[in-house]
Amino acid sequence: MDYASYHRRSIEQPEAFWAEQAALIDWHRSWDQVLDGSRKPFARWFVGAQTNLCHNAIDRHLATRAEQPALVWESTEVERSRSYSYAELHAEVQRMAAVLQRQGVVQGDRVLIYMPMIPEAAFAMLACARLGAIHSVVFGGFAALSLATRIDDARPKVIVSSDAGSRGGRVVPYKPLLDEAIARAANKPAKVVMVDRGLQAWDAVAGRDVDYAAERDAVGAAQVPCVWVDADHPSYILYTSGTTGRPKGVQRDTGGYAVALAASMRDIFCGQAGQTMFTTSDIGWVVGHSYIVYGPLISGMTTVMYEGTPLRPDPGIFWSLAERHRASVMFSSPTAVRVLKKYDTAYMRERDLSSLQRLFLAGEPLDEPTATWIAEQLGRPVVDNYWQTETGWPILGLPSGVEALPPKLGSPGVAMPGYDVRILHETSGEPVAPGEKGVVTIAWPLPPGCMQTVWGDDARYVGTYWSTFPDRQVYSTFDWGVVDARGYVTILGRTDDVINVAGHRLGTREIEESISSHAAVAEVAVIGVADEVKGQNAVAFVVPRDATRITDAAGREQLAGEIMQTVQTQLGAVARPARVLFVTLLPKTRSGKLLRRSIQALCEGRDPGDLTTLEDPGALEQVRSALSAS
Ligand code: AMP
């Protein structure tokens, strides 16, 4: 099929196009209206229809594939694996749903999931979907303060958690962080369901904490029917960082999400029922939501869920798992590939990867050497794709299931169905010519599956995403991009202060706020600095209250260590800056605006650019010498 006309139709006749795609999923009740645009920039898809995400992921497959593996769990951390057929997954999810019901969870309640990569985490997500409860998964690498902020915003009735995770063979306790987060939070959950893995002893809080194993026994072979919910009923909230310290709760719908995932599995990922998909992400990120849990299951595939690092027991583990489970579709991140690039390629070449069709990479820019290297090693197409937590599925990519378009190195590809991508001039808001840099935007409406709003804050949704170009009805991605004459877009970095470390989006303000809470800190600037493996690293420039603390190397090292620990304790290891450097003043304009780009340029050995507005040139000199001393 000709992709250009397929895409054009999705833009020119969105209602007809998406009504057709909607046939990919089961509905309890059909829609009265495909798209309600009466309250722009909001877009409601499949108004009046009813469905259920869990039904589409599990129940509807029972007639045809009850015995097929649905979820395969592999852990190199605890050296275990488990496989659940669709019938077994159905039973486990109903048990989890029954346990949640016993804690009082009903449709619309929020359930926060703070868990390692174990099957029960997926059961909990699917159980929430089954009940019409709204899950909010918080990545296990986040610590007490990050967790407390999310608890306060989502106000979960119940939290599902676990004693511990494991990373690189080391136990990472979860329960103490959870207890601290709940102590800090103003809105406390009524119950905490604990999945005890036996990794770390924990103290139960009387009247609040319940043991999952005991509850599971108590509910037996529970039968919990799917609750039919409206298509625009929220399925989940997933927090993501922005330019302010307060994370945004990306709210996703149910019907549009199911349709978009089903269409993306066919058009982009080419995953077919009965095949296996192995996505190396974590359920705490959007890739994990869409392409570990919901996408592959909605398509009747087997999904592989992996607890472990790319390097243990050896750097071939991803490929061993792909071989063992005959994966057809793999999805990973550029950082994971860059990590593997340092090791012997025999690990990959000796594996039988004949089942593999494509490797998809996303979450951060894919550099050309990495893309070329991995494609050569695998002898398979490597497909870059660009999207955001907000969109839930790819904005740019290659529509391999529609037409085999050639890849273009350095570009994730062309606009995916339903995305009217426009590159606009930063100030005029006019579309730029091919080859010219502009802001990557999406004209209204965002297609099904994209965020509905910011949880509990419609004004923030409109103010953040739809106000960059007030005269135009466009969603800003906050990325720079350039489009060529064939419609291939290349992403050129963020327009805001968000940084991307190993594919994880971090708000510099959030890290700055955490560092500022250290009593010795007067001022701080956190900058994203290019890193060969992780894409970017967070580097903090700190002005101490008392300059005598940093006069000698030992003093600097001590304070830097304390600051890193503060961030790790409050936000989590994921946000810990790679370096903390000290200065006595930060480079600012005369109006007090921090010159982030200039600091970043110096850190990356580039020219700091126009400095005519700089208040005190000595500040940049200090940045220079702090860098050369480090
Ligand atoms: P997140 O919501 O955490 O997935 O982060 C989304 C951001 O990551 C985007 O706005 C981009 O800045 C970046 N990003 C994601 N995928 C890609 C890609 N394939 N190429 C370049 N940047 C990407």
Side-chain angles (χ1 to χ4, degrees), residues 182-204:
I182 295 175
R184 278 173 180 265
N187 297 298
K188 307 205 188 296
K191 296 282 179 190
V192 172
V193 177
M194 288 291 297
V195 178
D196 191 347
R197 312 178 70 189
L199 293 179
Q200 176 83 40
W202 51 279
D203 297 322

Side-chain angles (χ1 to χ4, degrees), residues 34-47 232 253 444-453 461 466:
V34 180
L35 170 63
D36 171 12
S38 59
R39 206 165 68 93
K40 286 180 183 155
F42 297 91
R44 284 168 72 212
W45 289 97
F46 306 111
V47 183
D232 69 346
D253 73 353
W444 189 92
L446 293 179
C450 292
M451 82 187 287
Q452 294 176 286
T453 186
Y461 172 65
W466 295 89

